[in-house]
Amino acid sequence: MPTVVLMDVSLSMTRPVSLDGIEEFQRKNLAVHGLNMLFEHMASNYRLEFTSLMAFSSLWELLVPFTRDYNALQEALSNLEDYDKTCVEAALNGVSNVVQQEWGSYHHTSVFIVVLVTDGSLGIGKGSLRHSLQTLKQRGDDKKFPLPFPFPTKLFIMCIANAEELQMTDAMDNLEELLRLSGGDGQIFTMEGPLCMKSVQTMFGKLIDLVYSPFHAVLHCGNLSSDVQVFPRPEPVVMDEEVEPMPRTVSTDLEIVGFIEIADIASPPVISRHLVLPIAVNKDVDEVGTGTTDELEEEPSASQMAGKSPNFCVLLHGSLKVEGMVALVQLGPEWYGMLYSQADSKKKSNLMMSLFDPGPEPLPWLGKISHLGPISEAADNPYGEDDSKSPFPVQPQVKRSYAQNVTVWIKASGLQTDVQKILRNARKLPDKTQTFYKELNRLRKAALAFGFWELLKGVADLLERECTMLPDSAHPDAAFQLSHAAQQLKLASTGDSQYAAFDHNIVPMHTDFSS
Amino acid sequence: MLFPDREALPSQVFHQICKMKMFSVAHKTVFVVDHCPYMAESSRQQVECDVLTKSRAQGVIPLAPVSKSLWTCAVECSMEYCRILYDIYPKDKLVNYIVSDSEFHILNSWRREDQSTHELMSALAAVGPPNPREDPECCSILHGLVAAVESLCKITELQHEKRIALMDTAERVANRGRIICLTNAKSDTHVRMLEDCIQETIIEQNKLAAGSDRLMAIQQCELVLVHIYPQGEDTLVSDRPKKEISPLLTSEVHSVRAGRHLATKLNILVQQHFDLASTTITNIPMKEEQHANTSANYDVELLHHRDAHLEFFKSGDLHMAGTSTRENGLKETVTLKWCTPRTNSIELHYCTGAYRISPTDVNSRPSSCLTNFLLNGRSVLLEQPRKSGSKVISHMLSSHGGEIFLHVLNSNRSTLEDPPSISEGCGGRVTDYRITDFGEFMRENRLTPVSESSHDPSGKLPAERAKAQLERHTRYWPMIISQTTIFNMQAVVPLANLIVKETLTDEDVLTCQKTVYNLVDMERKNDPLPISTVGSRGKGPKRDEQYRIMWNELETLVKTHAGATDRHQRVLDCIIACRSKPPEEEDRKKRGRKREEREDRTEKNGNKEMDDKSWQDSERLKGLMDKDEQESEVIKDSPDSPEPLNKKPRLTSEEIQPPERSKGPVSLLTMWSNRITAVNSRKHQEFFGRASSVNNKFELYQHLKDENGMDVHENGKATR
């Protein structure tokens, strides 16, 4: 979930914050303080996040392109200059451009977080947010308002102002409209109490808790386990707002249920992908090898120590990679995902977790997950003794239309093909007796269902004609079968329940030419 | 005022799965098809079914073309609608089919087992075409429409299940539905009369439903009235877009000529009603029927859920993505290019959606060629044509268990790129993980579908039993090679594989015992053991030490399972009986009374069953051994038997952490730490303080006390 920080550097941000007696700040200083806090937090707890920093006034500028270098972001913050008036629309166009240039057009698999930091004075005249929103409906295609973005977005508006101040003007209404236009996902934060370092910290603290708090969990495989961070944070999910309005959240205990071959899981659809990074929660967990290493080397750093103590994630990752398997993992009640090894182009490899749609049966070809059991319970190993078989995919009870030779005559060609097939086989009687009757019965069934009795009569006529055109060399059985079939079709076309039953089949006439 | 601070709504921040509601109008569709005498009229669209080949044409009078009746057109188009629907939504998008003449005939129910085109075709065959001689005055579509409203009030299995599951929030289960009426209406006034009648019936039925458990009031009903008239006639009914008749009822009217126009209309409707979209696969190479060595390229159109085009919709520019507008201007399809599959390599694609497909022209040759190819297990990648000419693989067609899915592949740049490699993180620098062994473990813990009917007496679902098996298999599972001896020994394999089982047969116990005897034999022959020398100076522990480590580890493994059944216990008993004399005894002889006291105390404190039991068992066994355990006698007396152990005082795993012992079953971590500590302790002379500590505590600076004759400190804690 890459982040774009959009920092208002208009003149109004330089308004001083009146604090009796104490040192004087500008709103900009507060904003920078809050962002510094955010970046510091991300550097230590959420460092895989790509973040970019943009400044805007009536123009916009990309100060730091998407990066994980939080020092660079903080340095750019310290060099901010002051410009003219606020123009949110231009800045949002900038966000759209920057994101699409960096991540490609129409990115749809990742949510982008836009953190708009402003004092809530949203410009004046043309280019002001008020003006932008008022003229929303009077725009041509070339000048569309940038929201909603062509990629999934969460918009967080950090106001260096209190709610009361914003409500005195229409600023809050306009910001709410902005949030609504962005798709409604996100939040407006305002400062509580006096504008000071402490209240700005509180406000950014809330953003951090909501969006950037690392997701820690324990990955279990029976008694083996590992503390992990799941990155990015798995988001709560709502499957059906009406039946189950409460969002489902991923449990902090991730329990492996069992293992499945990559070929069997077959590139399943997932709602999100996450890195599963082992973390050392207790620095003093393991003392393996300390007896031998400590005399020569210096005191090893905590991370070196953690690197040296065996971790279940590394073991799991190694074996998943070697065996070409995935681990099925339970994320909560009736919610599952899979763990697998993912290698990037640089041959770096990682343990990844993908989340399936919540529900008891996210992948039809596995059946209900709760009904997957250990192979040891089966009488014979369902994978075969030499791994030559697989119990997957699970077959559906009813075949789909394309797998069961259905009859569709919507296009004339469909009907013509079916009739021709019967005639072709009719000319090869008695060799093709079985196929002839199979095709005949297929046509008969469809004609009866569609109430298409005229066709039955027509085909009966055709068969009778074929009968008269049989060459002298024809087998005598051909004539018998043709007239028998024609007669049966004619009887069916009367709708007489004795002959027109759907499940009835015309059977070949019993003849004996063996003597 | 809106929310000045939106923190009141933290739930605003969640991922909304973009799908239709479970109980939208699409959950229940009632087809009401007119079976009155005028439906027997010809559609006047003729089909030539006697296509004569040139060679046979001479002298043969071709059969007169046949023409479908209005009824036949209505039935086959509605069946096509159902076919597509059932292909794409095999579950819980339900159809109830009603035929109306002088009365109504309900051909199936909402029950899942009734939901198939085969069922419907069979029922339709029983109905047959309309009887043209029936009295038109008695016949009306109204009978069917009233029945349709009644049917919509009937609860479906899914509604029932969800209401039960939701308990006190059962009201969240909505009841909505759609009525698709295929009829030949007389006029716009006639249509209005039908709408009014449905509206009245809904109100009446809703009153009835209020007092019933098996009925639900209708919250929303969508009437789609399709007026069918023969080719070449003018329509008496005008088209009308959807309008609201009442908060409960909306209605739309489509006036369509019978034949292919009707088919096109219903194809568009099924797409609208079920959020479908169309994709045309182009450039499919196919062998020509006549000329087997040439191949031509074909196109096949597929329908599927429109989310498979989500990326194109988001872009707001469908044309870019290769959309073509059909001649009728109504239907749009996205074109994707076939990429001839390479080898059948197994790859885990990053796939953001998989949607069932249904071919629009199911039994055309190109369609069936494509579907058969896929059903045979091949997957096909699809390329999205881009103006720039760059190649982007955006989709994949693949079948799973006889169902074909259109997978959406991620073609975006990953936002997780360039993460630190797993080797850079925790545990990343450890190099001797038991990767192969864990691979074997994973294969043993693979999953398999278990039929829902097979009920386990424990009442546990199969997935729970799978987890229980994982638990059993990991009670003692060292992760690295240098932490284990027994798992590096081929000789232990039979026992290690068996002991983790939930139950053992007598034969299993015998195999385990044989394994143990075999180990005893190895010990007697002084066979080397694969003890890791990693981290130890010199040659590592002596042979007898090695065996002691091995036996301890084996005992640890088996102890974790001994409580399961008597047979598991018997395996443990065998190990305890056969292994070289437990060190505790020797230790005790050498140590002073202090230790005895400590052990007694620990024994008294130990309150958890498992530990107690194993202790008691080992005590009991020691007694047994002294008396009549022949095998152990033999070993003791054998000239090959190892030297007496414990030349110097050392710690056993029990000694080091008495606090853990008293807490309950030993954790895996404790077991390892114990073992590792035990190993390490052997490499140096034990600290005097620790060796003679009480409760792992030893008073420091005792000499000061002696010298000064006063109590200076409390006992300091002996640190490691």
Side-chain angles (χ1 to χ4, degrees):
Chain A
M1 302 210 297
T3 295
V4 183
V5 174
L6 191 54
M7 171 76 178
D8 185 345
V9 291
S10 66
L11 272 181
S12 63
M13 287 292 282
T14 64
R15 279 182 292 164
V17 180
S18 53
L19 279 177
D20 10 55
I22 323 169
E23 199 183 344
E24 206 172 72
F25 293 114
Q26 296 175 354
R27 296 198 187 219
K28 188 177 84 170
N29 301 130
L30 292 180
V32 167
H33 181 68
L35 285 175
N36 266 322
M37 174 181 159
L38 175 65
F39 291 154
E40 270 164 29
H41 168 86
M42 289 164 92
S44 51
N45 297 300
Y46 220 69
R47 70 194 157 88
L48 292 179
E49 177 83 350
F50 283 103
T51 303
S52 75
L53 178 63
M54 288 170 65
F56 77 101
S57 54
S58 61
L59 301 171
W60 61 270
E61 185 186 357
L62 177 62
L63 298 180
V64 184
F66 285 96
T67 181
R68 285 170 176 154
D69 180 354
Y70 284 91
N71 289 332
L73 287 161
Q74 284 186 296
E75 198 181 313
L77 271 186
S78 61
N79 296 325
L80 286 181
E81 287 177 44
D82 305 324
Y83 294 91
D84 56 347
K85 61 173 189 174
T86 311
C87 180
V88 175
E89 180 173 348
L92 293 174
N93 271 319
V95 171
S96 187
N97 287 344
V98 165
V99 167
Q100 295 197 53
Q101 253 171 35
E102 181 84 21
W103 301 99
S105 309
Y106 323 125
H107 205 286
H108 65 115
T109 46
S110 190
V111 178
F112 288 81
I113 297 173
V114 178
V115 180
L116 168 62
V117 185
T118 177
D119 58 349
S121 78
L122 300 165
I124 40 164
K126 217 176 166 200
S128 71
L129 182 60
R130 184 184 302 115
H131 181 263
S132 293
L133 295 176
Q134 278 167 354
T135 57
L136 268 187
K137 287 179 187 128
Q138 305 140 25
R139 290 154 182 262
D141 272 355
D142 51 334
K143 282 200 171 170
K144 268 202 244 164
F145 192 67
L147 294 184
F149 289 125
F151 41 83
T153 322
K154 285 183 184 189
L155 177 60
F156 294 95
I157 305 175
M158 313 303 289
C159 298
I160 310 297
N162 346 88
E164 298 76 36
E165 190 185 340
L166 298 173
Q167 280 157 13
M168 286 202 291
T169 63
D170 59 354
M172 184 54 98
D173 295 341
N174 284 328
L175 289 176
E176 273 166 2
E177 178 65 7
L178 195 66
L179 183 59
R180 199 188 58 75
L181 285 172
S182 79
D185 211 351
Q187 197 164 317
I188 300 170
F189 290 95
T190 56
M191 288 170 66
E192 280 164 28
L195 303 187
C196 62
M197 291 297 183
K198 196 164 163 266
S199 54
V200 85
Q201 278 174 12
T202 314
M203 180 171 73
F204 274 88
K206 285 178 189 163
L207 175 72
I208 288 170
D209 286 348
L210 191 64
V211 189
Y212 298 107
S213 54
F215 186 91
H216 290 165
V218 184
L219 176 63
H220 300 274
C221 176
N223 294 298
L224 296 170
S225 69
S226 171
D227 290 298
V228 296
Q229 178 183 353
V230 178
F231 179 90
R233 284 184 70 77
E235 289 177 77
V237 165
V238 169
M239 272 304 273
D240 187 313
E241 219 173 339
E242 186 172 90
V243 179
E244 202 192 311
M246 284 303 288
R248 296 204 195 190
T249 50
V250 171
S251 162
T252 50
D253 282 295
L254 308 170
E255 281 187 82
I256 291 179
V257 180
F259 301 87
I260 295 179
E261 312 266 354
I262 283 182
D264 289 336
I265 201 100
S267 299
V270 302
I271 56 176
S272 59
R273 280 196 321 169
H274 307 265
L275 288 165
V276 177
L277 308 159
I279 48 171
V281 170
N282 300 316
K283 303 282 186 211
D284 57 343
V285 274
D286 224 318
E287 278 148 87
V288 181
T290 47
T292 57
T293 52
D294 55 7
E295 70 268 48
L296 283 174
E297 291 167 25
E298 286 181 39
E299 189 75 357
S301 75
S303 67
Q304 276 176 315
M305 287 290 294
K308 281 179 183 170
S309 51
N311 188 293
F312 172 60
C313 282
V314 186
L315 172 68
L316 174 69
H317 168 267
S319 299
L320 289 175
K321 188 175 182 174
V322 170
E323 298 288 334
M325 288 172 115
V326 305
L328 199 64
V329 61
Q330 181 154 16
L331 312 167
E334 292 196 332
W335 195 7
Y336 303 88
M338 61 172 176
L339 291 160
Y340 53 97
S341 160
Q342 168 84 25
D344 74 2
S345 50
K346 292 170 188 164
K347 295 202 173 170
K348 283 184 177 177
S349 194
N350 257 290
L351 187 62
M352 290 276 261
M353 178 167 76
S354 290
L355 314 189
F356 302 144
D357 276 346
E361 199 180 335
L363 310 176
W365 49 96
L366 296 190
K368 275 192 188 147
I369 304 277
S370 61
H371 281 83
L372 296 182
I375 48 170
S376 58
E377 285 183 11
D380 299 305
N381 185 347
Y383 290 90
E385 289 314 314
D386 49 354
D387 276 340
S388 56
K389 319 185 273 187
S390 168
F392 301 106
V394 172
Q395 300 287 331
Q397 280 163 339
V398 186
K399 279 185 176 175
R400 304 290 156 249
S401 69
Y402 45 80
Q404 58 172 334
N405 200 13
V406 290
T407 313
V408 179
W409 291 333
I410 285 180
K411 286 190 179 166
S413 60
L415 178 56
Q416 284 156 358
T417 313
D418 285 348
V419 172
Q420 288 307 312
K421 248 188 242 171
I422 292 172
L423 292 183
R424 238 189 353 257
N425 285 298
R427 283 163 208 150
K428 291 175 187 162
L429 285 172
D431 296 347
K432 294 279 183 181
T433 306
Q434 290 309 319
T435 339
F436 170 75
Y437 279 101
K438 192 180 136 220
E439 291 297 332
L440 190 72
N441 279 313
R442 194 164 77 89
L443 176 126
R444 174 186 171 279
K445 268 192 169 46
L448 287 172
F450 298 154
F452 200 179
W453 292 356
E454 199 184 334
L455 178 71
L456 295 175
K457 288 186 205 113
V459 175
D461 290 346
L462 280 176
L463 294 180
E464 280 174 348
R465 189 188 68 196
E466 285 300 320
C467 195
T468 61
M469 289 166 64
L470 283 171
D472 296 342
S473 58
H475 192 283
D477 195 17
F480 279 98
Q481 298 298 353
L482 283 175
S483 43
H484 167 68
Q487 187 205 3
Q488 289 292 316
L489 285 186
K490 284 209 165 129
L491 285 169
S493 75
T494 60
D496 185 332
S497 60
Q498 199 191 332
Y499 301 100
F502 184 74
D503 290 323
H504 174 80
N505 275 321
I506 302 175
V507 289
M509 189 183 200
H510 185 73
T511 51
D512 189 0
F513 292 96
S514 54
S515 51
Chain B
M1 194 68 222
L2 272 160
F3 323 105
D5 190 343
R6 295 179 66 107
E7 271 155 86
L9 284 175
S11 62
Q12 282 293 312
V13 188
F14 58 74
H15 183 85
Q16 174 85 50
I17 304 259
C18 179
K19 285 192 184 132
M20 70 171 88
K21 284 180 194 152
M22 191 180 281
F23 299 112
S24 69
V25 283
H27 178 51
K28 290 164 138 176
T29 304
V30 189
F31 264 103
V32 181
V33 184
D34 200 336
H35 195 248
C36 298
Y38 48 75
M39 290 296 282
E41 261 184 60
S42 165
S43 67
R44 295 188 211 146
Q45 187 179 2
Q46 300 194 322
V47 186
E48 202 73 61
C49 62
D50 188 16
V51 188
L52 293 167
T53 50
K54 278 175 199 158
S55 59
R56 290 173 56 90
Q58 287 140 356
V60 178
I61 305 150
L63 192 77
V66 289
S67 86
K68 297 170 185 170
S69 64
L70 294 181
W71 165 257
T72 298
C73 290
V75 167
E76 69 174 1
C77 292
S78 62
M79 278 301 107
E80 181 68 358
Y81 181 106
C82 295
R83 177 187 72 78
I84 292 167
L85 166 60
Y86 289 141
D87 271 355
I88 295 172
Y89 295 95
K91 250 172 89 180
D92 297 327
K93 297 279 177 268
L94 309 171
V95 173
N96 189 206
Y97 207 101
I98 296 173
V99 167
S100 185
D101 43 42
S102 60
E103 52 183 353
F104 62 83
H105 310 268
I106 302 181
L107 303 192
N108 70 337
S109 77
W110 294 124
R111 282 187 309 172
R112 286 176 183 136
E113 69 213 57
D114 279 6
Q115 300 295 316
S116 79
T117 46
H118 183 85
E119 288 290 322
L120 292 174
M121 301 259 284
S122 168
L124 281 166
V127 170
N131 179 358
R133 284 173 296 280
E134 205 168 354
D135 179 8
E137 290 306 308
C138 304
C139 294
S140 166
I141 189 73
L142 263 178
H143 302 297
L145 288 173
V146 169
V149 173
E150 285 172 18
S151 171
L152 283 179
C153 286
K154 286 182 193 149
I155 193 165
T156 66
E157 282 157 302
L158 184 67
Q159 285 176 322
H160 182 64
E161 286 160 16
K162 282 289 161 190
R163 286 219 299 193
I164 286 175
L166 289 172
M167 299 283 280
D168 42 341
T169 51
E171 75 279 357
R172 284 185 192 155
V173 176
N175 191 35
R176 306 186 181 94
R178 182 180 284 127
I179 299 173
I180 302 177
C181 176
L182 305 181
T183 183
N184 177 286
K186 292 179 184 69
S187 62
D188 288 346
T189 330
H190 183 209
V191 169
R192 223 165 299 133
M193 185 274 285
L194 296 176
E195 288 168 348
D196 290 345
C197 174
I198 292 175
Q199 169 65 20
E200 273 170 42
T201 315
I202 292 177
I203 291 169
E204 256 170 55
Q205 289 298 317
N206 278 359
K207 278 181 201 153
L208 272 179
S212 163
D213 267 356
R214 305 303 294 180
L215 298 178
M216 287 178 81
I218 298 170
Q219 282 151 297
Q220 190 192 343
C221 177
E222 223 178 84
L223 173 67
V224 180
L225 195 136
V226 183
H227 165 69
I228 308 170
Y229 60 97
Q231 306 251 340
E233 271 186 26
D234 287 333
T235 178
L236 302 169
V237 174
S238 35
D239 261 354
R240 204 193 57 210
K242 192 195 272 190
K243 83 165 189 197
E244 194 172 276
I245 308 278
S246 80
L248 292 176
L249 179 67
T250 60
S251 162
E252 62 191 86
V253 181
H254 303 271
S255 186
V256 199
R257 264 172 290 168
R260 72 187 163 87
H261 299 279
L262 179 63
T264 310
K265 174 58 79 180
L266 280 177
N267 185 285
I268 291 167
L269 286 177
V270 74
Q271 292 191 50
Q272 284 172 0
H273 293 167
F274 295 94
D275 291 348
L276 307 185
S278 153
T279 295
T280 302
I281 317 295
T282 63
N283 266 16
I284 308 174
M286 266 181 238
K287 291 248 160 64
E288 291 288 334
E289 212 161 10
Q290 268 80 32
H291 318 280
N293 48 358
T294 62
S295 100
N297 290 337
Y298 287 91
D299 292 359
V300 172
E301 187 190 346
L302 306 173
L303 295 177
H304 49 78
H305 194 279
R306 65 165 174 228
D307 278 0
H309 290 165
L310 202 59
E311 193 185 358
F312 309 132
F313 289 135
K314 280 264 164 62
S315 74
D317 185 4
L318 275 165
H319 197 75
M320 260 272 294
T323 307
S324 64
T325 307
R326 290 284 187 78
E327 70 274 35
N328 55 22
L330 283 165
K331 197 164 169 179
E332 286 185 324
T333 185
V334 167
T335 306
L336 294 173
K337 202 172 141 231
W338 162 287
C339 300
T340 300
R342 292 157 292 155
T343 52
N344 245 357
S345 69
I346 298 156
E347 227 179 306
L348 193 61
H349 294 278
Y350 176 18
C351 160
T352 56
Y355 305 93
R356 288 187 176 87
I357 61 103
S358 185
T360 12
D361 201 359
V362 65
N363 49 11
S364 75
R365 212 178 72 86
S367 275
S368 57
C369 268
L370 175 66
T371 52
N372 286 335
F373 181 85
L374 294 164
L375 289 171
N376 284 332
R378 308 292 297 270
S379 295
V380 179
L381 294 172
L382 303 174
E383 183 191 323
Q384 179 190 328
R386 289 223 170 145
K387 273 183 182 166
S388 61
S390 61
K391 193 171 166 174
V392 179
I393 304 286
S394 60
H395 292 77
M396 177 177 78
L397 276 171
S398 187
S399 80
H400 310 286
E403 285 188 287
I404 300 173
F405 290 80
L406 181 60
H407 289 247
V408 184
L409 304 181
N410 175 53
S411 47
N412 295 141
R413 181 182 154 195
S414 166
T415 54
L416 293 177
E417 65 185 21
D418 203 19
S421 173
I422 193 148
S423 58
E424 294 162 35
C426 290
R429 291 180 59 197
V430 178
T431 50
D432 63 338
Y433 285 107
R434 293 171 58 205
I435 300 284
T436 316
D437 290 352
F438 197 72
E440 188 53 38
F441 167 92
M442 296 194 314
R443 309 179 82 74
E444 281 161 16
N445 284 285
R446 274 180 294 185
L447 298 167
T448 186
V450 177
S451 77
E452 301 202 20
S453 54
S454 74
H455 183 72
D456 187 67
S458 71
K460 273 186 180 172
L461 284 167
E464 293 303 319
R465 304 204 292 272
K467 282 192 209 165
Q469 176 169 306
L470 285 175
E471 192 280 321
R472 285 200 310 278
H473 284 208
T474 54
R475 284 190 194 158
Y476 178 69
W477 214 98
M479 289 195 285
I480 57 177
I481 294 165
S482 55
Q483 271 176 357
T484 180
T485 304
I486 55 171
F487 293 113
N488 300 332
M489 295 168 63
Q490 200 55 40
V492 182
V493 169
L495 184 146
N497 284 346
L498 286 171
I499 200 72
V500 295
K501 283 170 65 176
E502 202 169 6
T503 54
L504 297 177
T505 61
D506 279 332
E507 202 183 328
D508 293 338
V509 174
L510 205 65
T511 312
C512 289
Q513 285 168 338
K514 274 185 194 157
T515 308
V516 175
Y517 302 155
N518 187 23
L519 292 172
V520 169
D521 207 39
M522 282 172 65
E523 185 169 13
R524 196 167 48 207
K525 285 189 270 177
N526 222 5
D527 286 349
L529 288 183
I531 294 251
S532 165
T533 51
V534 175
S536 60
R537 275 168 289 178
K539 282 186 258 173
K542 286 182 185 160
R543 192 62 47 86
D544 56 336
E545 295 276 342
Q546 293 180 358
Y547 272 93
R548 214 178 58 80
I549 294 168
M550 186 278 291
W551 283 117
N552 276 346
E553 194 185 7
L554 190 64
E555 207 175 304
T556 310
L557 166 70
V558 176
K559 258 186 191 159
T560 61
H561 297 278
T565 65
D566 283 349
R567 290 199 176 102
H568 285 91
Q569 180 63 42
R570 269 163 59 195
V571 178
L572 178 64
D573 293 351
C574 170
I575 291 172
I576 292 171
C578 295
R579 65 170 294 180
S580 30
K581 211 171 199 180
E584 289 91 329
E585 260 185 313
E586 309 273 337
D587 285 354
R588 224 167 306 168
K589 282 175 197 160
K590 292 204 170 187
R591 301 260 168 95
R593 289 190 58 201
K594 270 184 181 173
R595 268 189 42 76
E596 298 252 358
E597 278 169 20
R598 188 189 69 75
E599 278 188 11
D600 285 349
R601 211 170 23 233
T602 325
E603 238 169 303
K604 277 176 208 146
N605 293 345
N607 49 1
K608 283 283 171 147
E609 293 165 47
M610 195 175 121
D611 255 41
D612 270 1
K613 195 174 166 209
S614 59
W615 264 99
Q616 282 155 10
D617 285 347
S618 61
E619 290 297 325
R620 182 171 57 84
L621 273 155
K622 271 171 221 153
L624 273 179
M625 276 193 307
D626 290 341
K627 285 175 204 160
D628 56 0
E629 267 291 332
Q630 288 185 342
E631 268 156 334
S632 58
E633 290 294 330
V634 169
I635 292 159
K636 266 194 228 162
D637 293 342
S638 147
D640 288 336
S641 67
E643 297 264 307
L645 293 165
N646 308 331
K647 294 219 168 108
K648 56 188 174 190
R650 78 173 63 83
L651 299 162
T652 65
S653 55
E654 278 80 6
E655 280 173 277
I656 191 72
Q657 281 175 322
E660 262 79 3
R661 263 199 83 228
S662 55
K663 272 188 212 156
V666 185
S667 76
L668 198 56
L669 176 65
T670 316
M671 285 193 286
W672 285 346
S673 331
N674 289 351
R675 213 186 63 75
I676 295 307
T677 322
V679 172
N680 289 339
S681 70
R682 255 169 259 122
K683 297 167 194 153
H684 60 81
Q685 181 115 40
E686 188 52 80
F687 294 126
F688 175 79
R690 198 186 291 163
S692 48
S693 64
V694 178
N695 257 348
N696 229 358
K697 286 181 179 174
F698 179 71
E699 195 175 348
L700 293 173
Y701 309 115
Q702 286 184 4
H703 62 285
L704 290 177
K705 196 171 149 187
D706 293 341
E707 281 164 22
N708 301 343
M710 54 186 290
D711 209 351
V712 187
H713 288 296
E714 280 186 273
N715 278 355
K717 190 175 183 179
T719 49
R720 278 185 272 165

